[in-house]
Amino acid sequence: LWGIYDALSRVFSPYELNPKNMNPLQDLIADVVDFDAVRGGADVCKLFIAATNVLNGRLRIFDQQELTPKSIMASACLPFLFQAVEIDHEYFWDGGYSGNPPIYPLIYAGGSNDILIVQINPINIPDVPRTARGILDRINTLSFNSSLMREMRAIQFVSDLLDSGELDAQKYSRINIHTIDAESELAQFSVSSKLNPDWEFLTYLHDIGRRKAKQFLALHFDKIGTESSTNIREKFL
């Protein structure tokens, strides 16, 4: 069924397929997530959710105190599937269009010089796409990765200035970047696979994530807090 809905979404908009904008997912989130507890835990763990303003293209960061079922829905609003989410008379789509993920809130919030990025969109693919669907999939991943690559370039620029002594290391901190990805495993799937709710597929992805996380810890745990385990220049630039 998810494949059929994906095909329909390329012809009809969610305003045509779902004119009353019914979305049971928002009610489900409201039922299962204790937002008061999440908002009250800012001293323990900071959480930021990103959404893209449809009208001006700007990135909107919702901090813990702003988290609601609507802000969660806004952060995951794929425009081919859902109507734009209205919050305070502004309309939002998925945050990935302007920050995927946004790194700067983690830097500005302070508290740690290490950032771990879990990538679900492959940066590299083995072949040039030659089908209409393959081309569309690649356009999607390129657009979702572009903001991350720009932020990585900025972090590398600051690191280079620190290395050359042009920035005062007493005033500016070096950011250690770590990544967990599964490019070889995920490159085989099209973007529409994100709509696949089959339990077997979800457990397959879960198993990949667990395996990759264990590999990361085995190889790079000692680098956390001391240096980057990812070479930004090689991976992103």
Side-chain angles (χ1 to χ4, degrees):
L1 290 178
W2 63 271
I4 295 174
Y5 193 82
D6 176 57
L8 287 174
S9 70
R10 299 178 189 275
V11 180
F12 301 100
S13 83
Y15 298 88
E16 296 169 308
L17 290 175
N18 184 14
K20 293 188 177 181
N21 199 23
M22 294 182 293
N23 194 335
L25 182 57
Q26 181 170 315
D27 295 333
L28 178 63
I29 291 174
D31 288 339
V32 301
V33 178
D34 186 343
F35 283 93
D36 289 334
V38 173
R39 287 189 287 265
D43 293 338
V44 178
C45 180
K46 293 182 174 63
L47 178 63
F48 302 96
I49 300 294
T52 302
N53 189 302
V54 178
L55 299 183
N56 59 34
R58 295 175 183 171
L59 179 67
R60 168 72 185 274
I61 299 295
F62 296 93
D63 63 23
Q64 244 141 315
Q65 302 309 314
E66 299 174 298
L67 289 187
T68 64
K70 266 201 166 184
S71 62
I72 298 297
M73 294 301 300
S75 74
C77 179
L78 295 175
F80 292 109
L81 300 179
F82 304 107
Q83 295 185 23
V85 177
E86 181 183 0
I87 300 176
D88 297 331
H89 307 295
E90 295 185 308
Y91 295 87
F92 295 96
W93 284 343
D94 193 303
Y97 292 109
S98 51
N100 190 43
I103 303 299
Y104 77 86
L106 306 179
I107 298 174
Y108 292 170
S112 175
N113 290 339
D114 290 86
I115 294 177
L116 172 62
I117 301 169
V118 180
Q119 289 182 257
I120 60 172
N121 291 314
I123 292 177
N124 303 291
I125 59 174
D127 300 299
V128 175
R130 299 183 182 276
T131 65
R133 183 170 193 147
I135 292 169
L136 186 61
D137 284 348
R138 187 53 178 163
I139 290 173
N140 186 292
T141 57
L142 288 174
S143 64
F144 269 71
N145 284 331
S146 61
S147 58
L148 173 63
M149 298 178 80
R150 285 195 300 270
E151 288 201 87
M152 290 297 102
R153 182 176 295 277
I155 290 174
Q156 183 63 54
F157 178 69
V158 172
S159 296
D160 291 342
L161 292 178
L162 286 169
D163 290 339
S164 65
E166 296 179 69
L167 282 182
D168 186 349
Q170 300 299 317
K171 295 182 179 180
Y172 298 91
S173 298
R174 185 181 301 277
I175 301 298
N176 301 320
I177 298 297
H178 313 278
T179 55
I180 296 177
D181 63 57
E183 286 205 340
S184 58
E185 291 87 349
L186 298 181
Q188 62 181 304
F189 299 114
S190 67
V191 172
S192 62
S193 66
K194 295 179 181 180
L195 306 178
N196 186 353
D198 293 342
W199 184 248
E200 183 177 353
F201 180 65
L202 296 178
T203 54
Y204 170 73
L205 296 178
H206 177 268
D207 291 343
I208 292 175
R210 298 279 293 188
R211 185 172 71 252
K212 292 294 182 177
K214 289 180 179 179
Q215 290 175 0
F216 169 80
L217 291 173
L219 293 172
H220 303 302
F221 181 80
D222 292 341
K223 294 182 179 179
I224 297 174
T226 59
E227 61 178 308
S228 293
S229 60
T230 295
N231 187 315
I232 295 177
R233 200 178 301 280
E234 289 183 1
K235 188 173 182 65
F236 296 104
L237 307 185

